[in-house]
Amino acid sequence: MVSPVTPGSSMMQVFSVNPVDSTTPVRPWRRVHFTGIGGVGMAGLAHILADWGVGLTGSDAAASAMTRSLERRGIAVHVGHDAGMVSGADVLVYSNAVPPDNPERAAASLQGLATCLRGEFLAQVAACFPVVVSVGGSHGKTTTTAMIAHILRACGRSPGYLVGGQVHGWERSASAGAGGILVTEVDESDGTQALIASTVAVITNIDDDHSWSLGGEAALRRNFAAFAAKASRVVSWDSPATRGVLAGHGDCHLAGPGDIPPELSLPQAGEHNRRNACLAILATAALGVPRDEALRALRSFPGVERRLSLRFRSPGARRVIVEDYAHHPVELQASLEALRQSWPQHRLRVVFQPHRYERVRRYGEAFAGILSRQADEAWVVAPFAAWVDDATVADPRQIAAAVQGPPCHYWDGPLEALAEVVLGAAGGTPEVIAVIGAGDVARVVPDLVRRSRDEAWRYLEGALDAAGVPHDRSRTWADLTTLGVGLGQPLRVLPETEAQLAAALRLASAEGLPVWTLGAGSKLVGTDDEPLRLVVALSAGAFMAVEAGDDDVTAGVGVCLSPLIRSLAERGRCDLGMVPLAWIPASLGGALRTNAGAQGSAIGDFVLEVRGRRLDGSPWRATGSDIVWSYRHSSLPEGVIVTAVRLRCGAATLAAARERLDATGARRRSVQPPGRSAGCTFRNPAAGPAGRWLDEAGCKGLRRGSLVVSAQHANFIINEAPAA
């Protein structure tokens, strides 16, 4: 009988999670060799072992982002397979894609070296953690694993984790954490999930996928039952399949729609993601995480690569490009439903690549039915065979031929040529282009994005011309910033009047574009890949004007702070407290936003009034006392672009002002290094200057390319590349 236990009830078993547990088993490896180390699961295991200090080597047929992430940690990765690499290893771990006649596997066999499949080794690694949360299922396990790890990380539990995809914003998809808990995705395709002993097992769903590799659907269900049997507790989504498989388990919660908290808020669309989140909440509740903490954490869940990943959004959302990993009918239906929910007024144009011909044979009719109901136009791309020679089992053209209603095309030409064909068929109405599949169809996306972005830049420049707003896109961020890095070419709006600025802001608001402001570029790091946005540079006309009063000065925010303060000092109209600000290489706009300061003075101390424009173009005004000024921060609203400031001046003799300039300049030169930089990189924590902590950590002299941490002041990163 399946228990109807719900979180928070008296029957709910809560497992203790200790950051470090003295009962953790000994890790039995000195050196491990990975054959096929570039796969996400293999690389993840290697990262966990590296965190533990285990010696590692690995090989793969080709270099990749995964192999490079390992090499950055000092792990030796060989491109190509070499029998000599296995000598000295305690065990050789290989991926499913590595055949038995691989030279490294053959050498290990001759040497009597222990070998095991990736999933088998994962079970051994999991046994080194006191608490294990394993996530299995036909669909959604990568996202659910990431959600559970995200909740635990956000709640300070420091879990180990192994996610079968790249989580947005995470340095890598695996970590050993503090050693008390492991959250891992497990694999039903080779049956190795049944080897994992879990504290909590999560089963997202059970469908007829991968059953052919296990001997049929009945064998697949037996494998899920074996996986559940080795778990102290099981959390699963209720369905006839999961109900049947889990009927004999003594501690199981089958979740349904009523378990989804009504207040659940996710950045990701789709009912399937709400189900995944519900299971993540239930799993973490079993580890003692309060529901409100889990809900709060999920509001910031960043999502996983190739899971409804937004790749491009044009001005006004006239074209949206999304990439997704779906390769089963249930997944394809869920993804297209989510896109319809998110963009109900858009045409939905789908580029779909089946994953393996076996799935074409089993699900071709279902794929055609979904495309018929959900798509407005579709391209079916020749299948990705996934290193399996099964092209004779089905004809993928039958999918395209069976689609009823929307036009559907079959594409077996070069993927590099498909983007031009898809965009050439655009109808001029708002559209979503969804590139869907688990194979190499992802190669279409960069060209789709590049062509769409070029088209969007042309549209925006034409719109600015029509509005009479000066603009420029000829300079890179390396040209525009003091640090001198970044190959991206921003679209700089260069208004000379308040009316031109207001026109540009109204355009950005109407098109849903983000707006950045650019002053002297002294606190910016440029990008190489420039996103669609307007960069407002107030460096001409009214924004460079200076008007002196009896005891104040009003200046446009494009005026640089240093020459303004020097000019006031030379005329005897500068408060001596202002003088240290003369050594700050910032525009007034940037100085105000960050409350720039030096040697005990800050610009906020002298502000009488601030004027600007809201992002809808309307005027805005505040007094200096309306603004909260604190260390390297002001409460100037994010939705306001400051255009002018009125500063309080004082009276100091020319001799006193010059003496103060000389003294503050000498002090600045003594502590701050010359060269191209963005100034101090990190804010000072409460415990003391950031530079001191970086120095004590041995950061001085650290280098990446032409960038180096200054040997004079560790809070400065210097760009030593020759200026362009």
Side-chain angles (χ1 to χ4, degrees):
M1 185 70 177
V2 178
S3 168
V5 177
T6 56
S9 74
S10 59
M11 297 179 66
M12 181 67 179
Q13 184 178 0
V14 177
F15 298 95
S16 174
V17 181
N18 300 314
V20 178
D21 194 308
S22 60
T23 64
T24 301
V26 174
R27 298 154 193 153
W29 314 283
R30 291 177 298 103
R31 187 165 82 82
V32 177
H33 180 75
F34 288 87
T35 302
I37 199 169
V40 63
M42 292 280 279
L45 284 168
H47 278 300
I48 290 173
L49 295 189
D51 288 346
W52 285 339
V54 176
L56 295 172
T57 54
S59 65
D60 210 293
S64 65
M66 289 294 171
T67 61
R68 288 189 287 273
S69 75
L70 294 164
E71 289 172 333
R72 284 195 293 271
R73 304 192 66 183
I75 298 168
V77 178
H78 186 266
V79 176
H81 299 295
D82 183 350
M85 293 193 68
V86 306
S87 297
D90 301 316
V91 61
L92 179 146
V93 182
Y94 60 92
S95 76
N96 291 21
V98 177
D101 61 354
N102 174 275
E104 293 173 10
R105 287 186 63 182
S109 178
L110 285 173
Q111 296 175 30
L113 180 66
T115 66
C116 64
L117 192 61
R118 184 201 72 87
E120 296 171 338
F121 190 69
L122 171 59
Q124 297 177 32
V125 169
C128 296
F129 289 84
V131 175
V132 177
V133 180
S134 301
V135 183
S138 301
H139 328 292
K141 53 183 174 285
T142 298
T143 298
T144 305
T145 305
M147 285 177 167
I148 294 170
H150 175 75
I151 291 169
L152 293 172
R153 280 162 53 110
C155 295
R157 306 299 176 97
S158 190
Y161 52 88
L162 198 162
V163 182
Q166 183 60 50
V167 183
H168 294 296
W170 291 14
E171 181 182 6
R172 56 182 188 264
S173 57
S175 169
I181 180 171
L182 175 69
V183 182
T184 182
E185 182 175 335
V186 294
D187 194 357
E188 81 281 3
S189 68
D190 59 8
T192 54
Q193 67 178 2
L195 303 175
I196 300 283
S198 308
T199 311
V200 180
V202 178
I203 299 178
T204 58
N205 41 61
I206 301 174
D207 268 317
D208 176 26
D209 196 17
H210 295 300
S211 61
W212 54 85
S213 62
L214 292 178
E217 192 172 355
L220 177 69
R221 296 193 179 206
R222 286 195 297 271
N223 183 261
F224 272 103
F227 167 56
K230 296 191 73 171
S232 300
R233 179 170 177 79
V234 177
V235 174
S236 178
W237 194 260
D238 188 18
S239 71
T242 56
R243 200 177 307 131
V245 164
L246 300 172
H249 199 284
D251 190 355
C252 174
H253 183 153
L254 287 174
D259 288 283
I260 300 177
E263 66 271 35
L264 173 63
S265 176
L266 288 171
Q268 295 76 31
E271 186 61 27
H272 62 299
N273 279 320
R274 293 179 64 80
R275 292 182 180 185
N276 294 337
C278 175
L279 295 177
I281 292 168
L282 292 170
T284 53
L287 303 183
V289 176
R291 190 174 84 158
D292 61 339
E293 289 189 27
L295 286 166
R296 189 180 310 115
L298 286 170
R299 287 199 291 269
S300 63
F301 177 62
V304 181
E305 272 289 318
R306 298 185 73 182
R307 272 68 174 182
L308 292 178
S309 297
L310 180 65
R311 300 304 189 200
F312 176 80
R313 181 187 183 277
S314 72
R318 281 178 285 276
R319 177 177 296 148
V320 176
I321 299 174
V322 175
E323 185 180 355
D324 193 70
Y325 196 72
H327 53 285
H328 183 278
V330 170
E331 298 165 356
L332 181 63
Q333 177 73 23
S335 296
L336 296 185
E337 283 181 353
L339 291 172
R340 284 292 190 194
Q341 173 189 334
S342 298
W343 310 96
Q345 305 303 319
H346 286 54
R347 292 181 68 227
L348 180 53
R349 306 171 71 225
V350 180
V351 177
F352 173 62
Q353 182 186 48
H355 192 262
R356 294 191 54 179
Y357 288 84
E358 178 64 34
R359 287 192 179 89
V360 174
R361 183 178 74 81
R362 287 175 175 263
Y363 313 132
E365 185 176 340
F367 287 141
I370 293 166
L371 293 174
S372 298
R373 295 187 300 273
Q374 296 286 352
D376 293 306
E377 187 172 15
W379 284 261
V380 175
V381 178
F384 184 73
W387 308 283
V388 177
D389 185 13
D390 61 352
T392 61
V393 304
D395 183 359
R397 291 173 176 80
Q398 294 177 354
I399 299 176
V403 172
Q404 301 295 314
C408 186
H409 323 278
Y410 184 72
W411 181 266
D412 60 357
L415 285 171
E416 291 75 13
L418 182 54
E420 183 177 3
V421 173
V422 173
L423 294 179
T429 57
E431 63 180 10
V432 173
I433 299 176
V435 179
I436 299 180
D440 60 355
V441 71
R443 287 159 47 197
V444 177
V445 174
D447 199 27
L448 281 173
V449 171
R450 180 184 61 79
R451 291 171 180 270
S452 297
R453 185 173 291 166
D454 288 346
E455 179 184 309
W457 286 128
R458 290 192 294 272
Y459 167 80
L460 289 173
E461 290 177 298
L464 289 168
D465 286 337
V469 180
H471 58 86
D472 177 73
R473 197 170 165 259
S474 64
R475 302 180 68 188
T476 68
W477 283 112
D479 300 326
L480 297 167
T481 59
T482 58
L483 182 61
V485 299
L487 300 178
Q489 294 174 276
L491 177 53
R492 290 185 302 140
V493 178
L494 305 169
E496 298 174 1
T497 66
E498 292 261 353
Q500 290 176 345
L501 173 60
L505 293 176
R506 286 193 294 269
L507 172 65
S509 178
E511 299 293 353
L513 286 172
V515 176
W516 275 31
T517 54
L518 172 66
S522 61
K523 283 291 183 182
L524 291 178
V525 178
T527 62
D528 287 337
D529 186 17
E530 181 65 12
L532 286 174
R533 61 188 171 195
L534 295 187
V535 176
V536 175
L538 303 180
S539 55
F543 309 109
M544 296 295 291
V546 178
E547 182 180 347
D550 292 336
D551 54 4
D552 62 11
V553 61
T554 300
V557 293
V559 174
C560 284
L561 186 58
S562 179
L564 176 65
I565 301 300
R566 289 170 180 270
S567 173
L568 293 172
E570 290 290 337
R571 290 156 53 201
R573 300 188 52 78
C574 182
D575 187 304
L576 287 178
M578 266 186 165
V579 171
L581 305 182
W583 301 102
I584 297 176
S587 66
L588 276 172
L592 289 167
R593 182 65 66 178
T594 61
N595 191 25
Q599 302 181 38
S601 295
I603 193 169
D605 301 336
F606 305 97
V607 174
L608 298 173
E609 184 182 38
V610 187
R611 300 198 305 269
R613 293 272 174 173
R614 298 182 181 89
L615 294 183
D616 62 3
S618 62
W620 173 89
R621 185 185 297 263
T623 66
S625 59
D626 292 332
I627 309 299
V628 177
W629 307 96
S630 57
Y631 171 67
R632 300 298 181 264
H633 177 76
S634 73
S635 66
L636 287 166
E638 291 297 324
V640 165
I641 293 181
V642 176
T643 57
V645 59
R646 186 162 63 93
L647 298 173
R648 171 177 59 82
C649 296
T653 66
L654 181 59
R658 285 178 173 172
E659 182 180 355
R660 181 83 164 134
L661 273 171
D662 290 344
T664 55
R667 181 181 175 193
R668 187 175 183 92
R669 288 189 294 273
S670 71
V671 297
Q672 295 195 3
R676 287 182 296 163
S677 77
C680 284
T681 304
F682 301 100
R683 294 179 180 176
N684 291 330
R692 187 183 72 200
W693 291 101
L694 292 165
D695 189 3
E696 292 179 0
C699 293
K700 283 184 175 178
L702 290 179
R703 179 182 295 274
R704 176 64 62 87
S706 65
L707 300 178
V708 60
V709 178
S710 169
Q712 181 178 348
H713 193 312
N715 204 10
F716 278 71
I717 296 175
I718 306 299
N719 184 5
E720 294 183 345

